[in-house]
Amino acid sequence: GTERGENSDLKDASPTAPVPTQRFRPIAAPRMPRAVLLDGGMGHQLKKMGVKVEGPRGSMERFLGVAMANSTQSELVTAAHLSFIDAGADVITTNNYAVVPNCLALCADFKGNLGEKVKELVGDAGKAARAAVEQRPDRKVLVAGCPPPLAE
């Protein structure tokens, strides 16, 4: 901006004198949509709520409990989504980030086709998220799918 001494309209103004408004035009703020709030980390929330998370950090073992919770503890997955909705989330993400064959292969109880199990758990993840949204009909919450790591 200009200093008071540089502008001829302002050079004789005292520091407390009102600034002439005819030289300044207000700039309208751009119309922007409000911010959209996404949910947080499902794995951390599920662990806090009692889902068993074991194994070294960063390992596939660590993700197994969170992946399997879609079918074995679906009520907790729905409750985790509800906690994010109740905290103000506009978008919740399905809990299927860890639903990949390499992770599910570590499940000692599972015998069968890993591809079919992936489909089942991804479907369960979507159902849990939709159930949470349906429990908050007063909110307009979107469900976003969560592509897992494609290299796994």
Side-chain angles (χ1 to χ4, degrees), residues 36-51:
V36 175
L37 185 62
L38 305 178
D39 62 359
M42 281 294 287
H44 291 285
Q45 184 66 21
L46 288 169
K47 181 180 177 187
K48 178 182 172 187
M49 296 173 77
V51 170

Side-chain angles (χ1 to χ4, degrees), residues 10 37 47 49 74 104 118:
L10 300 176
L37 185 62
K47 181 180 177 187
M49 296 173 77
S74 60
L104 301 182
V118 167

